[in-house]
Amino acid sequence: MSNPLLYEQNLFVVLEPNLPEQFLEPQELRAKLQAILANCQDRLPRDLQKFTDIEAQAQYLLETSCEFSLEPGRYLQWYAVRLEK
C-alpha cells in the first residue's frame, strides 16, 4: 500500500512566462487562479464554463489540471512539489 503522504499537495511550483518560478501554498495558488480567471471569463475553456463562480473554476483547475492558457502561446503552469523527505 502506498503512503498517503505521497498524495498530499502542500506546495506548488508555479511557472509564468518571463517570471522566475514561485513556490505557492494551495490557497495562494487558488487565489492566483481566481485573479486570472476573473479577467478571462469571456474566453474560458469549455470544461470551466459549466461552473458559475470563479472559486469553483479555480478549485476545478487546481484539482484537475497543471496549466492554463493565458493567451495563445502563453501558459501558467503549476506542479505539486515536496521539499522534504
Side-chain angles (χ1 to χ4, degrees):
M1 174 141 342
S2 64
N3 187 336
L5 290 176
L6 292 174
Y7 300 100
E8 285 186 15
Q9 296 179 337
N10 296 325
L11 196 62
F12 292 87
V13 62
V14 178
L15 307 173
E16 289 184 79
N18 303 318
L19 292 175
E21 65 186 25
Q22 303 172 52
F23 290 94
L24 300 178
E25 294 180 352
Q27 64 272 15
E28 294 171 315
L29 177 54
R30 192 176 303 107
K32 183 176 200 63
L33 290 171
Q34 288 175 6
I36 290 169
L37 289 166
N39 293 320
C40 63
Q41 289 294 298
D42 58 335
R43 56 183 172 86
L44 288 177
R46 184 172 293 191
D47 59 337
L48 289 179
Q49 291 175 7
K50 63 184 174 186
F51 298 101
T52 56
D53 64 77
I54 293 172
E55 291 174 9
Q57 292 169 351
Q59 186 63 38
Y60 178 79
L61 277 177
L62 192 60
E63 293 173 355
T64 63
S65 301
C66 63
E67 76 176 21
F68 182 75
S69 177
L70 301 171
E71 58 186 47
R74 293 189 58 196
Y75 296 91
L76 174 75
Q77 297 178 323
W78 59 92
Y79 303 96
V81 294
R82 211 173 49 197
L83 298 180
E84 58 186 50
K85 286 185 173 185

